[in-house]
Amino acid sequence: MTKENKTKLKALRIKNSHIEKIIDFLDVYMNNTEARLRNNFVKVLGKQLIFLGEERIKLLEEYAEKDKEGKPKKSNDGKSYDIIPENLEKVKVELTTLYDDFLIIDILPSNEEEIKVATKAILQSTKTFDIADGAIYSAICETFEEIK
């Protein structure tokens, strides 16, 4: 194995709970090349958001009350599931675990420019934030600074 093959692989570790905010923070005007690279990066994040949504629904269905046919019951408005009271803490723990986990994106020659463009846009953002978004923005900046 040559020295080049032994180099440590870099990776971007994004907390699942930050993905939606990162997409929001990347919603800025860019030139055509950068916009295309940014959009490719956002597609990766979007796929993770879809996965998280599916996992969330599976967890809620698993811990929901069941009807006569064994299907999860929904609330009267049809927008949420009726969770069995003794399962509320389990659902909370599992959802917290899911969203505290990380999406790990290996930085490869094929996606390096996309990540550079996203990193630059995040770190040089001119958006203004309230206190909650400011704290999230700060944590996201730390994530992207780790790969520099």
Side-chain angles (χ1 to χ4, degrees):
M1 193 176 249
T2 66
K3 273 189 176 180
E4 291 80 27
N5 292 340
K6 290 183 182 180
T7 59
K8 187 176 179 186
L9 182 66
K10 284 187 176 182
L12 178 59
R13 292 174 36 97
I14 300 173
K15 193 171 181 180
N16 283 331
S17 62
H18 292 165
I19 291 173
E20 198 166 353
K21 285 293 185 183
I22 291 172
I23 293 170
D24 289 344
F25 297 156
L26 289 173
D27 186 13
V28 295
Y29 289 99
M30 295 182 167
N31 70 40
N32 56 354
T33 303
E34 287 183 340
R36 201 160 170 238
L37 291 166
R38 182 255 336 262
N39 292 348
N40 289 340
F41 181 72
V42 168
K43 282 181 193 175
V44 173
L45 299 180
K47 288 178 184 177
Q48 182 70 359
L49 273 183
I50 291 168
F51 168 77
L52 291 170
E54 291 168 349
E55 289 299 305
R56 181 180 163 276
I57 289 170
K58 284 180 193 175
L59 283 171
L60 294 173
E61 288 177 343
E62 179 182 339
Y63 291 111
E65 290 187 50
K66 306 294 189 265
D67 63 16
K68 295 175 188 173
E69 298 167 3
K71 294 181 181 177
K73 280 186 176 180
K74 288 199 170 186
S75 61
N76 291 336
D77 65 5
K79 295 181 180 180
S80 59
Y81 290 94
D82 288 332
I83 304 298
I84 300 170
E86 55 268 16
N87 287 341
L88 285 173
E89 191 59 34
K90 291 177 190 173
V91 169
K92 184 179 175 183
V93 167
E94 290 205 36
L95 286 173
T96 299
T97 301
L98 177 66
Y99 285 94
D100 280 349
D101 202 1
F102 292 87
L103 167 63
I104 299 173
I105 303 172
D106 291 330
I107 301 172
L108 306 169
S110 60
N111 66 3
E112 188 173 24
E113 286 303 310
E114 296 166 7
I115 293 170
K116 282 181 182 177
V117 166
T119 300
K120 179 181 171 188
I122 292 287
L123 297 179
Q124 296 178 1
S125 176
T126 59
K127 292 187 175 195
T128 57
F129 306 105
D130 61 20
I131 195 158
D133 280 348
I136 293 168
Y137 175 74
S138 181
I140 289 169
C141 284
E142 288 174 14
T143 296
F144 282 87
E145 287 170 340
E146 287 177 6
I147 61 168
K148 287 184 107 185

